[in-house]
Amino acid sequence: MPNKNTETSNWNFEDSEKLYGVSRWSKGYFSIGANGDLLATPDHHQPSLTINIQEIVEEMNETGIQFPAVIRFHDILRSQVESLNLTFRNVINDADYQGQYFGVFPIKVNQMREVVEEVVSAGKQFNYGLEAGSKPELMAALAYNTNKESLTILNGYKDEEYFKLALLGQQIGRKIIIVIEKFNELKTLVRIAKEMGVMPIVGLRSKLMVKGRGKWKNSSGERAKFGLSYVEMLNAVDYLTEQGFADSVKLLHFHIGSQLTDIRSVKDAIQEASMVYMNLAKYGVPLSYIDVGGGLAVDYDGSQSTHNSSCNYSTEEYIVDIVYGIKQTCDLYDIPHPNIVSESGRAITAHHSCVIAKVIGEIKPNSTKFDTSIEQDEHILISNLRDITQELNCENYQEMYNDLVSVKAQTVSAFSLGVLSLKDMAKMESLYWQTLEKINQHLIGEEFIPEQLMEIPALLSSQYLVNFSVFQSTIDSWAIKQVLPIVPINRLSEKPTKIASLVDITCDSDGKIDQFIESNGSTNTLPLHQLNTGEDYHVGIFLTGAYQDVMGDMHNLFGRLNEVHIYSYDDDPKDYYIEEVVHGSNMGDVLSTMQYSSEILANNIKKEIDVKVSQGLIKPRMGVQLTDFYEGCLSNYTYLADDKH
Ligand SMILES: *Cc1c(COP(=O)(O)O)cnc(C)c1O
């Protein structure tokens, strides 16, 4: 075996970079410093300004902000908004394209007010607007998208109230485009518009026949939940013309799904949609916008592939395909180039936030050893197991593995029948894990590993217990097997000597993460560092700014996380300042969402304590302490607190 010490000292931050692939998924926003700390470079305008994430964590510890916590880098959000808009602008110029770009941010991706405000502020110079897909989102969009030149695009199913809100927006001077998702919406819209005496601006959502590829491929195609078929689209145009609204149809919309992993689906959709646009234009519909929806993917695992958590194209390539694709069709059929709208959400927000959580323990299946030495009258099954362990060598380990599995099964039956004792079973367990360890040693460095043995490294790996909830913070890792990059935030110049998967603190066996970026040849485990006593070990879960931030739920009543909002600031010695701390839910908050009143809870406990005090079973002083303690807990954080030894 190679000497462990020299191996460790040969490791440096560049090895960690290779292992965790930071530069492959971070778009330059994160990197590993030479001292082994994880760094952020949030502002594209200031590439030399780097923030040490470990320093943020230390500052949070000093100011008593508990973990798990979200760190939100506002400059990343701004940089992403700028880069999308500038790229569209540049490609449009280069292509000599006659229309303009009017992007909108779909707020369902992250409805946090601070996020929406930042996006609107960064997008002001580009007339970048908002997209809403429900009434509450529309309420927010109306109040926050105050730039009169930018668009507000309204998708989703709509009722009277939704239309009224939309037309209210139009009356206060906003450019509201109401996208029709289903034919019957038109009738309501026409009625309300007549009542209010307002001429709406209408968009028509096409189902398109082409399908996206990836998880959300059913957002398009003939069985899609949204949009109009070709028949309905023509009927819609005729209906609006009959009703005197012929001039109102300005936009053609499509959205073939989120996280489009393969650029071919973008090309296909643009081809089909631009033909629809051209046909409608020739039919006399006064269209002037084409809205390509969302779908611009994030390369979560950095593999640049068509895996569900990746994509095989860059933002620039995506934009080039859109602009040139539309231009080609319009030029061929001699119609004016439309303005282009896009609704990218994931790609705008994913990078700007991360979750920092503390590893609070290690769970090993075989950590405690039991005395397995030979005893008189030992049962033959136990002796058999010991023989397997001893006879195992580099030639027979597969055969021995088969024997092991079968003898183990026999011991379990024998125990049920009362033939083996608990002590025998403890021996069995100990011998079983020893044997697996031995087989695993033989597997290291093998080019070919038989399929049935492939699970052994994962079986032997540790589980790191992390103080967070998958269901609150990384819901898609559970729901759709989304892979998110996970990296320790310091000690990156030290070799990680453990192989682990992560488990959270919920009482749900699904509360775990066991899908990782391909790093050490396995995607089920992640190399991490040995935990040192008395030293905090934090991992960062990255690219959580899209959907994860806002979709999490309160499984086990673990609530929303504390958040710090970070701005880059050159004049500060640490190059940043915490602009805002948003406190996460306390226990009283989460209980109240389930209809519990803090007051009643505390009262019930107090009453019972009072009874015990009056019976002399609890001392009065202790009674008051207990009452205060229970009450105090209601305003405490829902996650585990650090033990104050
Ligand atoms: C969800 C959604 C989006 C956002 O998609 P991303 O893939 O996150 O960019 C855009 N438009 C519509 C209609 C949507 O439903």
Side-chain angles (χ1 to χ4, degrees):
M1 246 180 85
N3 181 312
K4 203 170 156 209
N5 282 333
T6 50
E7 219 184 325
T8 309
S9 61
N10 279 339
W11 187 269
N12 69 18
F13 72 103
E14 284 158 335
D15 299 304
S16 286
E17 158 55 41
K18 271 188 219 119
L19 183 62
Y20 298 109
V22 177
S23 63
R24 283 187 281 124
W25 52 259
S26 74
K27 273 188 178 263
Y29 291 121
F30 301 101
S31 59
I32 299 176
N35 70 346
D37 286 350
L38 200 61
L39 309 175
T41 310
D43 186 349
H44 272 173
H45 298 294
Q46 305 187 70
S48 62
L49 189 153
T50 55
I51 299 172
N52 186 325
I53 296 179
Q54 175 66 17
E55 282 181 359
I56 301 179
V57 168
E58 280 161 19
E59 180 171 348
M60 289 166 70
N61 272 329
E62 280 157 24
T63 47
I65 302 164
Q66 277 174 269
F67 293 92
V70 170
I71 300 183
R72 232 177 253 298
F73 292 98
H74 281 250
D75 300 287
I76 293 184
L77 212 46
R78 299 190 78 88
S79 297
Q80 284 296 91
V81 170
E82 283 178 18
S83 118
L84 180 80
N85 279 282
L86 286 173
T87 311
F88 258 109
R89 197 177 269 185
N90 293 340
V91 173
I92 280 176
N93 279 339
D94 289 349
D96 216 2
Y97 188 87
Q98 301 306 308
Q100 279 178 280
Y101 175 64
F102 289 95
V104 289
F105 171 67
I107 68 178
K108 78 156 187 258
V109 177
N110 197 322
Q111 301 100 338
M112 278 274 301
R113 174 179 53 80
E114 288 88 341
V115 170
V116 172
E117 274 179 341
E118 200 66 64
V119 166
V120 167
S121 150
K124 187 152 190 281
Q125 53 168 322
F126 306 104
N127 295 325
Y128 188 65
L130 295 178
E131 185 263 4
S134 68
K135 282 189 283 187
E137 288 183 358
L138 169 55
M139 305 273 296
L142 280 179
Y144 279 85
N145 189 17
T146 49
N147 176 2
K148 303 247 181 310
E149 298 307 314
S150 68
L151 301 180
T152 303
I153 302 276
L154 303 184
N155 294 313
Y157 292 122
K158 304 170 195 72
D159 61 4
E160 263 189 51
E161 201 170 54
Y162 193 139
F163 287 120
K164 278 188 188 159
L165 282 167
L167 295 178
L168 174 161
Q170 196 171 325
Q171 282 171 308
I172 58 174
R174 305 290 164 73
K175 283 193 182 159
I176 308 269
I177 303 187
I178 303 171
V179 178
I180 298 297
E181 302 271 7
K182 95 185 179 347
F183 186 82
N184 275 341
E185 286 177 356
L186 273 181
K187 297 193 170 152
T188 319
L189 172 61
V190 164
R191 179 165 51 79
I192 306 276
K194 283 182 179 165
E195 272 170 33
M196 291 176 72
V198 182
M199 180 60 83
I201 310 175
V202 174
L204 299 178
R205 175 163 179 175
S206 164
K207 266 188 176 157
L208 294 192
M209 293 286 176
V210 299
K211 281 203 172 192
R213 293 179 184 80
K215 275 277 168 205
W216 284 271
K217 57 177 181 284
N218 292 332
S219 303
S220 66
E222 53 210 3
R223 291 282 298 158
K225 170 172 150 190
F226 296 108
L228 306 175
S229 67
Y230 290 134
V231 175
E232 287 169 324
M233 194 161 292
L234 288 177
N235 286 347
V237 170
D238 293 342
Y239 175 76
L240 287 170
T241 310
E242 272 165 35
Q243 297 293 321
F245 287 74
D247 290 341
S248 67
V249 187
K250 296 286 187 217
L251 176 141
L252 174 72
H253 180 278
F254 70 91
H255 170 72
I256 60 166
S258 196
Q259 185 69 8
L260 298 171
T261 58
D262 191 340
I263 190 69
R264 276 187 304 163
S265 34
V266 176
K267 292 177 195 280
D268 292 350
I270 291 293
Q271 177 62 25
E272 183 178 345
S274 55
M275 291 306 285
V276 178
Y277 184 94
M278 180 278 292
N279 272 278
L280 287 174
K282 296 267 182 203
Y283 193 65
V285 183
L287 291 172
S288 53
Y289 296 91
I290 186 164
D291 181 342
V292 301
L296 174 55
V298 167
D299 192 359
Y300 291 94
D301 69 11
S303 68
Q304 298 182 19
S305 69
T306 57
H307 297 158
N308 282 340
S309 297
S310 183
C311 59
N312 64 359
Y313 58 92
S314 66
T315 302
E316 168 138 29
E317 187 179 350
Y318 172 81
I319 293 172
V320 163
D321 280 352
I322 290 171
V323 173
Y324 282 88
I326 298 171
K327 178 178 151 77
Q328 193 177 32
T329 304
C330 292
D331 289 350
L332 198 60
Y333 292 92
D334 201 22
I335 55 167
H337 302 164
N339 294 317
I340 298 174
V341 180
S342 82
E343 305 173 346
S344 286
R346 187 185 294 278
I348 294 286
T349 60
H351 296 77
H352 91 282
S353 80
C354 58
V355 173
I356 307 289
K358 193 171 138 182
V359 179
I360 53 171
E362 178 181 358
I363 303 167
K364 270 202 89 157
N366 52 339
S367 50
T368 38
K369 299 271 184 286
F370 197 78
D371 182 8
T372 57
S373 42
I374 304 181
E375 279 178 303
Q376 275 187 340
D377 314 328
E378 186 174 71
H379 195 277
I380 177 83
L381 284 172
I382 303 298
S383 318
N384 283 350
L385 274 174
R386 187 177 304 99
D387 292 346
I388 293 173
T389 314
Q390 283 166 359
E391 283 166 23
L392 191 129
N393 62 37
C394 61
E395 258 139 43
N396 67 3
Y397 61 77
Q398 182 169 19
E399 185 189 335
M400 289 293 141
Y401 177 73
N402 292 332
D403 290 352
L404 177 72
V405 172
S406 115
V407 178
K408 183 184 173 223
Q410 288 170 26
T411 61
V412 174
S413 312
F415 179 64
S416 304
L417 295 171
V419 176
L420 292 185
S421 68
L422 196 58
K423 193 176 162 198
D424 293 325
M425 292 307 274
K427 275 190 173 180
M428 180 280 285
E429 270 182 350
S430 224
L431 288 166
Y432 172 75
W433 288 112
Q434 277 175 37
T435 316
L436 284 188
E437 290 275 10
K438 265 181 122 173
I439 297 176
N440 197 39
Q441 289 303 317
H442 288 294
L443 296 181
I444 293 170
E446 282 291 317
E447 259 174 37
F448 171 75
I449 297 180
E451 194 182 336
Q452 60 177 164
L453 302 186
M454 283 205 271
E455 59 175 18
I456 292 180
L459 268 178
L460 289 170
S461 69
S462 294
Q463 288 175 315
Y464 269 20
L465 179 61
V466 185
N467 188 9
F468 88 120
S469 157
V470 162
F471 307 95
Q472 176 64 251
S473 295
T474 60
I475 185 93
D476 282 343
S477 75
W478 168 70
I480 57 168
K481 297 261 165 272
Q482 170 85 65
V483 177
L484 295 167
I486 299 177
V487 189
I489 60 162
N490 63 352
R491 292 175 67 185
L492 291 161
S493 49
E494 194 184 308
K495 183 171 178 164
T497 52
K498 287 274 177 176
I499 300 287
S501 59
L502 306 181
V503 290
D504 73 4
I505 58 168
T506 66
C507 305
D508 189 319
S509 48
D510 271 359
K512 63 178 182 194
I513 299 185
D514 58 5
Q515 289 291 317
F516 303 96
I517 292 179
E518 167 89 37
S519 47
N520 55 335
S522 161
T523 55
N524 301 125
T525 52
L526 182 70
L528 288 170
H529 301 88
Q530 174 110 38
L531 301 178
N532 295 334
T533 31
E535 200 182 290
D536 286 354
Y537 188 63
H538 290 99
V539 290
I541 306 169
F542 288 85
L543 310 189
T544 55
Y547 302 104
Q548 310 313 293
D549 261 355
V550 291
M551 277 186 10
D553 78 8
M554 301 206 304
H555 195 9
N556 257 169
L557 296 187
F558 289 114
R560 294 206 39 96
L561 269 56
N562 289 330
E563 288 196 6
V564 292
H565 293 203
I566 302 287
Y567 278 86
S568 311
Y569 187 50
D570 219 358
D571 284 347
D572 185 277
K574 291 179 176 169
D575 280 350
Y576 75 88
Y577 67 99
I578 296 179
E579 183 255 358
E580 191 185 8
V581 178
V582 182
H583 291 282
S585 324
N586 62 35
M587 294 193 240
D589 295 336
V590 295
L591 284 162
S592 76
T593 64
M594 295 292 148
Q595 297 283 76
Y596 297 96
S597 129
S598 291
E599 217 168 285
I600 295 175
L601 291 170
N603 249 326
N604 287 356
I605 294 298
K606 183 174 182 318
K607 263 191 256 164
E608 295 201 40
I609 291 174
D610 287 349
V611 170
K612 299 285 178 206
V613 169
S614 69
Q615 293 169 342
L617 296 170
I618 296 180
K619 297 238 161 61
R621 196 179 288 276
M622 174 59 90
V624 174
Q625 273 174 18
L626 290 174
T627 311
D628 287 352
F629 171 68
Y630 182 91
E631 247 187 73
C633 285
L634 287 166
S635 44
N636 286 349
Y637 205 31
T638 59
Y639 295 87
L640 299 183
D642 281 339
D643 287 329
K644 302 185 198 77
H645 305 286

